[in-house]
Amino acid sequence: MNDPKHYLNEAEESMQLAIDFLDEALAHIRAGKANPKILDGVRVDYYGSLCPISNVANISVPDARTIAITPWEKSMFRVIEKAIIDSPVGITPENNGEVIRLCIPPLTEERRKQLVKQSKGEAENAKISVRNARRDAIEGLKKAIKADGMPEDVEKDAEASVQKLHDKYVKRIEELLAAKEKEILTV
């Protein structure tokens, strides 16, 4: 392993995974706007197996405060309603016999602050993952000097590159967090 690119690529891959995970985690935080992703964690019993609502119904967002769920089978209405009520989504579904509607209530100021705090926690976890990826890459580079005879100047240059990657991904995390905070705090 005399090639520093191996360590850089590994670090960048780990950092990108942290960003992707953060992006997904922030999408599941309800910001007062209708987003079908808040239903991703809800599972329904479909002929003996648990599956996501999106596998048994069409989910759409007709306006900014409503999610419409149209089951493909009439028998699924009660099952989907029960799954939503039992889930941590915290919204009571309305069923008119053809469509199940979820009306997203406006957020209170206190709830907005909780959601911002939750978003910051997710961002901090992503930053920790990025820092761990940087640490692992630098440790690998230092071992490569001893074990594989990598020149020290090559290792120092690679370390600087790892730090630049770290800074780039931390900046991206900050941007994602700022966008989510703005979304949550916009009334």
Side-chain angles (χ1 to χ4, degrees):
M1 281 294 161
N2 212 352
D3 186 18
K5 280 192 172 77
H6 166 75
Y7 299 104
L8 288 171
N9 291 341
E10 243 178 47
E12 185 162 20
E13 195 175 302
S14 295
M15 291 176 187
Q16 185 57 50
L17 286 172
I19 293 285
D20 294 344
F21 185 82
L22 173 66
D23 202 23
E24 189 68 24
L26 291 178
H28 288 285
I29 295 175
R30 185 162 54 102
K33 292 180 182 65
N35 182 349
K37 282 194 173 188
I38 65 171
L39 295 173
D40 284 356
V42 181
R43 301 278 185 248
V44 293
D45 182 24
Y46 186 62
Y47 296 109
S49 66
L50 290 177
C51 58
I53 291 179
S54 58
N55 288 10
V56 297
N58 186 29
I59 301 172
S60 61
V61 182
D63 61 60
R65 294 228 179 261
T66 309
I67 298 174
I69 304 166
T70 311
W72 296 326
E73 297 177 23
K74 292 281 184 201
S75 63
M76 292 306 295
F77 275 97
R78 293 268 177 255
V79 178
I80 292 173
E81 270 188 310
K82 183 172 178 5
I84 293 171
I85 290 169
D86 294 345
S87 76
V89 171
I91 302 171
T92 305
E94 299 169 15
N95 177 357
N96 67 4
E98 291 179 24
V99 177
I100 298 171
R101 290 196 192 321
L102 298 178
C103 295
I104 311 294
L107 297 173
T108 63
E109 190 62 33
E110 185 178 317
R111 182 69 179 135
R112 288 179 196 278
K113 287 178 183 171
Q114 286 176 339
L115 292 175
V116 167
K117 197 176 201 177
Q118 183 182 349
S119 299
K120 285 181 180 175
E122 294 289 351
E124 189 55 40
N125 289 341
K127 285 181 188 176
I128 289 169
S129 295
V130 168
R131 287 194 291 266
N132 288 342
R134 175 187 63 182
R135 186 198 62 226
D136 293 345
I138 290 174
E139 283 176 3
L141 289 166
K142 288 192 186 303
K143 285 178 185 169
I145 290 176
K146 294 179 180 119
D148 302 328
M150 180 188 287
E152 280 192 35
D153 59 334
V154 171
E155 186 267 343
K156 288 292 178 200
D157 291 344
E159 242 184 75
S161 298
V162 169
Q163 184 61 42
K164 283 181 187 165
L165 272 177
H166 168 271
D167 296 344
K168 173 181 139 185
Y169 280 96
V170 167
K171 185 174 186 256
R172 180 75 182 117
I173 289 169
E174 293 291 339
E175 289 168 359
L176 286 171
L177 177 62
K180 188 64 178 183
E181 276 187 38
K182 185 179 179 204
E183 181 186 339
I184 290 170
L185 295 174
T186 301
V187 180

